[in-house]
Amino acid sequence: MEEDVWKKAKSNAANAMRNSDWVQWIHEGTGFATTQAERDLRIVWEALSGKKHCAVCMNLSGCCFPRNNMPEYPLHPNCHCKTEPIGAITATARCRESKVKGWIFNPSVPNGKKELFYEWGYSIIDKDWLISEYIRQGKEKYERGDFTLHKLNEYGQQINIIIELPRKDRIGTVTFTSGWMVYPNGVIELVTGFGRR
Ligand SMILES: [Zn+2]
């Protein structure tokens, strides 16, 4: 047990060192799109400009990544973006209640997700705790650079973060993938609460 804690601390420290080398993606002249609605506007803007402005780049603007775990740079020929070194980041993880309440535990959605959570001993009464866990683990792991890059498109960069939960029905834990959208200045927002195991 004690050895495990030590091993974990050591690997956390190693990650922290490796991931103090963060950069911020900057597309000059457009400002940061901090909401989905603002991102949609950038997509319209790309169309109106005759594709002169790239929505992918505009919507990446302001987003932060460890240098060793970032979208390919430059993204395309004549890309006007730059990456600015920012050291380490302080992250903010956002999780809307509807993601857990209306989705994982939605009785009318036969997605097999709630059955899994029920099997592990969770139900809707655990929703606040689950939300706080998503936020805690999402923030910690993103700050450590402990994520994998997922889909990148005109809506932004998605990343996957492994969530680990204690089982409530018996001893042990379950782990599964969660999907997050990266927003400017260290913000991530949960988009998929439960992916594959
Ligand atoms: Zn660009």
Side-chain angles (χ1 to χ4, degrees):
M1 180 66 193
E2 227 162 273
E3 210 171 280
D4 275 359
V5 171
W6 174 236
K7 247 194 230 161
K8 218 171 174 183
K10 251 173 54 180
S11 98
N12 286 355
N15 277 330
M17 298 239 303
R18 196 167 63 232
N19 292 308
S20 61
D21 188 17
W22 284 64
V23 294
Q24 185 168 36
W25 191 287
I26 304 285
H27 179 277
E28 274 181 26
T30 44
F32 300 161
T34 57
T35 63
Q36 190 56 61
E38 285 176 16
R39 293 198 163 178
D40 292 345
L41 279 178
R42 300 302 198 284
I43 296 169
V44 175
W45 190 348
E46 176 188 286
L48 288 177
S49 76
K51 302 223 165 192
K52 247 179 77 189
H53 297 285
C54 163
V56 182
C57 286
M58 286 190 282
N59 283 334
L60 267 179
S61 196
C63 295
C64 305
F65 302 95
R67 202 184 286 279
N68 63 4
N69 198 11
M70 63 180 286
E72 196 180 308
Y73 173 83
L75 257 182
H76 53 84
N78 302 318
C79 179
H80 295 298
C81 297
K82 58 180 184 178
T83 58
E84 282 193 346
I86 52 167
I89 64 155
T90 303
T92 303
R94 297 195 298 222
C95 172
R96 274 176 292 149
E97 187 176 307
S98 60
K99 282 292 165 193
V100 172
K101 193 178 161 190
W103 190 70
I104 293 179
F105 291 118
N106 186 342
S108 64
V109 179
N111 52 17
K113 285 167 187 138
K114 61 181 175 299
E115 287 77 7
L116 274 173
F117 279 84
Y118 288 144
E119 191 190 310
W120 304 330
Y122 289 97
S123 70
I124 191 71
I125 60 164
D126 301 303
K127 112 184 124 52
D128 291 339
W129 185 84
L130 283 170
I131 289 170
S132 70
E133 266 313 283
Y134 274 110
I135 288 172
R136 186 183 70 80
Q137 295 187 34
K139 172 185 162 64
E140 259 182 41
K141 291 176 186 182
Y142 177 52
E143 273 177 2
R144 282 211 306 264
D146 187 6
F147 63 83
T148 52
L149 293 167
H150 186 49
K151 217 167 39 184
L152 169 65
N153 59 24
E154 64 270 37
Y155 298 103
Q157 175 71 58
Q158 282 191 38
I159 60 172
N160 285 335
I161 291 177
I162 303 288
I163 299 291
E164 181 174 358
L165 296 178
R167 295 186 72 126
K168 290 179 76 180
D169 58 329
R170 55 179 161 88
I171 292 170
T173 57
V174 285
T175 55
F176 54 88
T177 299
S178 63
W180 302 71
M181 179 62 88
V182 180
Y183 282 101
N185 298 322
V187 176
I188 56 171
E189 183 170 316
L190 186 73
V191 285
T192 308
F194 180 85
R196 61 185 187 281
R197 267 201 277 180

